[in-house]
Amino acid sequence: MLDIALHGSGEPVRLVDAAKRQEISVKYLEQIVGTLTRAGYLKSIRGPQGGYRLVKEPSQITAGEILRVMEGSLAPVECLEPGAKTCPRASACVTLRLWKELDAAVRSVVDRHTLRELMDWSREEEKTGT
């Protein structure tokens, strides 16, 4: 998503180009973009000048959304996953408090930062060389 956002400039990004920049196989990248396309984050453009384009503006997509599409729940334990039934041991679980705090911390970071911010960070890094 970041590569497409950085290199799209209104034009579709070819997977072969993105795969080369990211140093991953085109076949693996096809799986990734397939998932993101089905989830409604990318649009496939066919033809000789085809490729993939973001459906929304980068400022409207959070890192958390992308991670959840690709990884599923980000909860550190099964009992905190969305829709999970209350664990019968919850009232006596000493570590539940820790897991809840960790879950809240992860969500607060990934849901606060957008693809636009990641683009800005990438450009800053290019300028400073770090």
Side-chain angles (χ1 to χ4, degrees), residues 4-124:
I4 291 170
L6 286 168
H7 299 282
S9 303
E11 298 297 320
V13 174
R14 295 177 25 183
L15 288 189
V16 67
D17 298 332
K20 189 177 289 185
R21 284 189 294 268
Q22 298 305 313
E23 300 178 6
I24 59 177
S25 74
V26 173
K27 194 160 189 72
Y28 179 57
L29 190 53
E30 285 172 345
Q31 294 174 0
I32 294 170
V33 299
T35 300
L36 292 163
T37 300
R38 285 188 297 280
Y41 288 92
L42 293 175
K43 180 179 182 180
S44 172
I45 310 297
R46 297 186 188 269
Q49 301 301 314
Y52 287 85
R53 174 181 295 157
L54 296 176
V55 171
K56 298 180 195 175
E57 290 296 317
S59 61
Q60 297 176 327
I61 303 169
T62 67
E65 290 175 295
I66 298 166
L67 288 169
R68 286 183 189 92
V69 166
M70 297 308 302
E71 303 296 332
S73 171
L74 301 178
V77 290
E78 188 177 339
C79 63
L80 294 179
E81 290 183 7
K85 294 181 181 175
T86 302
C87 176
R89 298 184 55 231
S91 63
C93 182
V94 176
T95 60
L96 184 58
R97 184 172 168 184
L98 172 73
W99 297 129
K100 284 182 177 180
E101 190 174 332
L102 179 61
D103 185 47
V106 168
R107 283 186 285 112
S108 75
V109 172
V110 299
D111 292 337
R112 181 176 69 238
H113 296 291
T114 66
L115 190 52
R116 167 60 61 200
E117 288 175 276
L118 294 174
M119 292 171 69
D120 294 343
W121 296 348
S122 178
R123 290 180 178 134
E124 286 172 15

